[in-house]
Amino acid sequence: KSKGKKQAKAATKQSKLNAVLGAGIMGGGIAYQSAVKGTPVIMKDINQGALDLGLSEAAKILGKGMQRGKVDATKMAQTLNAITPTLEYSTLKDADLVIEAVVENPKVKGIVLKEVEDNVADDAIICSNTSTISINQLAESLDKPERFCGMHFFNPVHRMPLVEIIRGEKTSEETINAVVAATLKMGKTPIVVNDCPGFLVNRVLFPYFAGFSKLLIDGADFVAVDKVMEKIFGWPMGPAYLMDVVGIDTGDHAADVMAAGIPERMARLDNDPVTLFYKEQRLGQKNGKGFYNYG
Ligand code: NAD
């Protein structure tokens, strides 16, 4: 038994340098998580402001850790030094594992993934943090789809233990093993799932959000619904607050993709408050107003 274990270990490549594309809510969180668990990480965006925000969010989390006595000044400096912000693709050439976390748009992701493939080493692994887009569809933009899979973190990355690893039809076992190893190194719990609309978590979550929207259209009060789910049903947060955390734009777009993917389980409705908020640019916590207002 132990011999088999050793062999499996030898076959699995450990990433010495990670890279994250996109320094937003998720990309910034993934970069922090990689750095704090000891794997240096390149954080690439197209926008210097996003890079600055990504770094300052990491500093904020570390600062809170210091207040609670869990992080000392050395750990803080080491972690921040392990994140290299950049606007250049060329810096990806030494990365072993690249995680794409740009906007939830298949066209943009296709272009970015191809650009990544053109800039990384032949044996580098490429993942997407997409919430809803088919991994098989995204794999079509790559010359070597066997080195590609989904690596889906949850928000906020530093607090949520789960990572869904999504196997596309062409993903190799070697790729899955390496991404499982990288997930464990980041202190997270991996589950491997096949490609399907919403993977595991969002397949459960989005019909629930659709049920919530229908309740509101029928006249329910979102604060009351949140209260019931939190205080009586025992969930850590209700659907309105969760949608604000996810981001109304991301949530609205993901709901469209999910309704197209599992029409027998959910449909988009006219007057969905999530779509109305999106039109009004009430994007949730990211811009300070969604279902709730954030000072
Ligand atoms: P976000 O809007 O906070 O950040 C996206 C970032 O991507 C921005 O900083 C933007 O400048 C950058 N970007 C856009 N085009 C780029 C390019 N060509 N190259 C590099 N950077 C580029 O979005 P987010 O909420 O972090 O979502 C990112 C991805 O993670 C999406 O696929 C989303 O579905 C997924 N996701 C989101 C959540 C969530 O709760 N928000 C949870 C899990 C997964």
Side-chain angles (χ1 to χ4, degrees):
K1 205 175 173 187
S2 66
K3 200 173 162 210
K5 241 185 184 173
K6 257 187 202 157
Q7 275 171 355
K9 223 177 179 182
T12 301
K13 194 180 159 201
Q14 288 282 350
S15 174
K16 293 196 183 67
L17 178 65
N18 293 332
V20 179
L21 275 284
I25 299 182
M26 296 306 290
I30 297 165
Y32 162 81
Q33 192 63 29
S34 174
V36 81
K37 292 292 178 183
T39 307
V41 59
I42 295 163
M43 180 169 73
K44 183 194 174 302
D45 206 288
I46 45 172
N47 179 340
Q48 184 62 43
L51 292 174
D52 296 343
L53 196 64
L55 272 181
S56 72
E57 286 296 319
K60 217 194 268 172
I61 299 168
L62 289 160
K64 280 188 190 156
M66 272 177 103
Q67 277 170 9
R68 278 188 268 116
K70 289 193 168 168
V71 173
D72 62 19
T74 313
K75 178 72 181 169
M76 177 150 182
Q78 266 173 359
T79 305
L80 292 176
N81 280 336
I83 304 175
T84 307
T86 181
L87 297 167
E88 303 296 330
Y89 270 112
S90 57
T91 56
L92 299 185
K93 65 183 188 330
D94 297 323
D96 296 311
L97 175 74
V98 181
I99 305 160
E100 170 279 309
V102 305
V103 282
E104 186 75 346
N105 175 321
K107 245 193 193 161
V108 176
K109 284 192 189 292
I111 294 167
V112 168
L113 288 169
K114 181 74 190 97
E115 200 88 49
V116 169
E117 191 174 47
D118 289 345
N119 280 281
V120 292
D122 272 353
D123 60 350
I125 286 171
I126 305 173
C127 300
S128 173
N129 183 50
T130 181
S131 312
T132 53
I133 302 167
S134 157
I135 292 302
N136 291 328
Q137 181 192 335
L138 290 177
E140 285 171 14
S141 50
L142 296 175
D143 292 334
K144 288 198 195 171
E146 62 278 9
R147 58 146 122 185
F148 174 68
C149 68
M151 187 179 191
H152 184 210
F153 290 82
F154 292 83
N155 180 12
V157 176
H158 67 287
R159 302 224 357 231
M160 298 294 279
L162 181 64
V163 175
E164 289 179 323
I165 297 171
I166 302 114
R167 191 202 317 262
E169 275 163 16
K170 296 189 175 152
T171 308
S172 72
E173 233 14 66
E174 204 184 341
T175 298
I176 294 291
N177 290 342
V179 178
V180 166
T183 304
L184 292 171
K185 176 90 199 297
M186 284 191 190
K188 299 294 177 192
T189 306
I191 54 164
V192 180
V193 297
N194 289 332
D195 190 22
C196 69
F199 319 129
L200 191 153
V201 171
N202 283 336
R203 201 175 172 86
V204 174
L205 189 60
F206 274 84
Y208 160 78
F209 275 139
F212 168 60
S213 286
K214 176 78 171 87
L215 268 179
L216 300 191
I217 292 166
D218 289 349
D221 167 23
F222 73 83
V223 179
V225 177
D226 270 8
K227 238 184 215 160
V228 169
M229 294 311 288
E230 289 162 20
K231 301 235 166 9
I232 307 174
F233 197 61
W235 284 20
M237 59 186 81
Y241 189 80
L242 178 56
M243 190 51 92
D244 279 354
V245 171
V246 166
I248 299 281
D249 48 347
T250 302
D252 186 57
H253 181 78
D256 281 341
V257 178
M258 292 306 299
I262 46 170
E264 70 287 3
R265 294 193 55 212
M266 63 175 280
R268 295 311 308 272
L269 300 172
D270 292 339
N271 298 330
D272 186 329
V274 174
T275 308
L276 299 180
F277 283 169
Y278 177 44
K279 284 187 183 146
E280 291 166 11
Q281 288 293 293
R282 295 183 73 93
L283 301 182
Q285 288 188 342
K286 71 170 83 167
N287 75 346
K289 48 190 197 304
F291 279 94
Y292 299 93
N293 290 316
Y294 303 87

